[in-house]
Amino acid sequence: MSEVYYVVFGFNGRLVYVDLTKEEIRVTELKEDWCRLYVGGSGYATRLLYDLVSRETEPLSPDNVLVVMTGPFVDTFPVSPKTAFVTKSPLTGYLGKSIVGGSFGAMLKRAGFDGIILRGASEKPVYLAIVDGQIEIRDATHLWGKDVLETSRTIKDELSNQKVKVAAIGPAGENLVRIAAVITDERRAAGRTGVGAVMGSKKLKAIVAYGSKKVRVYDREKLIHLMREHLGAPLKSPRGVGLRSYGTSGGLIGYALDGNVPIKNWTKGVFDKVDNITGQTLQKVYKSRGVACGTEVVCSIQCHKELQVSEAGWDEWEKCPEFETLALMGTNLMIGDGRALIAINRLCDRLGLDTISTGGTIAWAMEAYEKGFIKTEDLGFELKWGDGEAVLKLIEMIAYRRGLGDVLAEGVKRASKKINPETEKFAMHVKGLELPAHHPRRYHSIGLAYATSNIGASHLQGMTMLVERGILLPEYGISEIPKDIESKVKVTIIHQNLCAFLDSAGLCKFGVFGIIDFNKIAEEYTAITGFKTTKEDILEAGERIWYLERLFNLKLGLRVEEDVLPKRFIEEPLDEGPIKGVTCPINQLLELFYHYRDLDPRTGHPSKEKISKLGLDIELD
């Protein structure tokens, strides 16, 4: 492959376009103006989708488009790089976006490309191999039906290259389960919004990347200095030290004491077995080690924790469940057995399921069972709170769409409508995406972030729970914990904008918030791209991307009535625990949010003045 460098530093300047129906592959050029406007990653991918996908596009049809996109920080600043999988979601019908860590994006860059645009559907199972600039659609008939980890091992052996990076689907994606994930060989998950089902609908079993190309940056000497400073920052930060010690799983105990975990499908305030399943406890029971999220990642936090589990049929070093999994599968299902949660986490990864959506869907099923809407004969076994063995059975049923699992595979919104409309009252989702573990009754700003997130309920589209816990942003004027409605709304908007930027830049949020301020991020971005950038420019770029996502959803049919929280958080206060008697004042929050975002409260549309001011280069329907 000839060494042709792109005018925009931090990128190769090339995208792979693949039409799986026609078996057509071509290379297209990255647009410099889109790199400036939308940064890269999820922002650039969403701009592509805006022109390629319509309201009529069925998410699981060949017409849907899946974009896999890296940002300028990926493999140029190897502190936990992030890669975006962006599509029209089969779960929500709106923007589908999932961000995955690890080495996959770095290897895609080294292979000579910044992203992949996938359209159409193959007649037979295939995988896409991008190795040292060469692109090939390869037969995957022999891989269809295999779990994710077995698929990755087989491909590496087949290519005689153990260093290739693989992003694959399991049986859940193959069976078009709407909560299916894409899982990498390093067991990092692009879990949310059903991106695994979109790959399955295209008969695309895996994407493989490997290469050795280096991407040019604008000022490498300056970047190396900034990188060293960034790598040292976590060791001086309480948040960084905590994550380095226990990973995200270490947060469970503090959040439980604070009232910030779901318990029994968000109906209880206390779980007496929480101490059994914290990261601290798991790392006492099992020998543990911390590693970076990928072999090609340089990270001083190393929040990916592994446990030594010596049991027949298991890998010696097993992935420790993250906080979200411990909460959604643990406290939310009343499972207080750490061994059971390790097994649940492992099974979801192998079958290719999002642990957040799967946990939320099973919690709904357990409540439906408890209230008589689901019977033992519907399942073939009892489905009681705290029963880890029943959950393992149900996970397999969901992945393979067996029995009642076929209904649950549709996600909690569709499942509740099908089983009984009465059960919709306790189907916990926003826009069809099941809730993550942070509590809208405890942190009102996270309730607003869920209600107005462009992908549905997601804590990573506005991590406002951090600010309400004291992880502030003084560089943006947030110097104290927000106490009133106005300050919580302002915090939500700022965090949404910053998260949109980070998802597009390809930089891990856990290595930023509470670790290093955005003046430094602006310096790093400038050193990579050559775009002279300040912290205010970062905020504006994130704002532009947030509005682009909003406009994309409006184009797909989003109604303002869908900016809501489940009524459980608004009308049903808990009768015990740290947040006893508290509800989320979502209507007051939304009213002010629409005002500050310049959105019409009747339609949810931004004003033409706002669109023009941000320089969005799209044509409105």
Side-chain angles (χ1 to χ4, degrees), residues 13 141 177 179 292 530:
T141 305
V177 173
I179 54 177

Side-chain angles (χ1 to χ4, degrees), residues 441 566-574 582-584:
R441 294 187 185 103
K567 290 184 178 179
R568 177 159 279 178
F569 299 119
I570 307 165
E571 300 175 356
E572 301 176 23
L574 301 177
V582 179
T583 56
C584 182

Side-chain angles (χ1 to χ4, degrees), residues 298-470:
V298 178
C299 181
S300 55
I301 297 177
Q302 299 188 345
C303 67
H304 179 71
K305 302 302 176 186
E306 295 181 338
L307 307 173
Q308 193 169 37
V309 181
S310 301
E311 297 187 24
W314 286 57
D315 297 325
E316 182 185 9
W317 286 98
E318 181 58 35
K319 176 181 168 185
C320 181
E322 304 279 358
F323 163 74
E324 295 292 329
T325 304
L326 292 175
L328 269 301
M329 293 292 194
T331 60
N332 201 37
L333 305 184
M334 306 288 282
I335 295 175
D337 179 351
R339 166 63 178 75
L341 291 174
I342 294 170
I344 287 168
N345 189 52
R346 181 175 187 260
L347 185 61
C348 284
D349 280 358
R350 295 184 78 98
L351 298 180
L353 284 167
D354 173 22
T355 58
I356 296 176
S357 283
T358 304
T361 302
I362 293 176
W364 166 84
M366 283 183 168
E367 187 166 346
Y369 181 85
E370 182 180 52
K371 293 178 175 176
F373 294 106
I374 294 174
K375 309 290 186 183
T376 304
E377 51 267 32
D378 297 327
L379 290 161
F381 53 89
E382 293 183 307
L383 187 60
K384 294 183 177 180
W385 298 103
D387 189 340
E389 288 302 316
V391 170
L392 287 168
K393 292 177 185 176
L394 203 51
I395 287 170
E396 291 218 12
M397 290 172 65
I398 291 170
Y400 291 99
R401 285 188 173 271
R402 294 172 183 155
L404 188 69
D406 188 41
V407 177
L408 302 183
E410 294 291 292
V412 72
K413 179 181 178 180
R414 288 177 176 82
S416 63
K417 290 179 183 296
K418 186 163 187 177
I419 292 295
N420 191 308
E422 284 292 308
T423 69
E424 292 184 57
K425 296 176 183 177
F426 49 89
M428 308 301 282
H429 68 87
V430 173
K431 299 179 178 72
L433 183 64
E434 293 77 11
L435 264 71
H438 298 280
H439 210 313
R441 294 187 185 103
R442 176 62 183 88
Y443 301 131
H444 295 159
S445 62
I446 202 67
L448 178 62
Y450 288 168
T452 58
S453 162
N454 290 316
I455 67 168
S458 170
H459 63 299
L460 294 174
Q461 299 306 295
M463 300 180 72
T464 61
M465 68 285 184
L466 298 179
V467 181
E468 294 211 43
R469 282 180 64 85

Side-chain angles (χ1 to χ4, degrees), residues 68 85 104 116 118 128 165-167 199 204-209:
V68 183
F85 283 69
F104 177 78
I116 308 165
L118 294 152
L128 182 68
K165 298 304 172 187
V166 183
M199 273 184 63
L204 182 63
K205 180 64 176 177
I207 305 170
V208 182

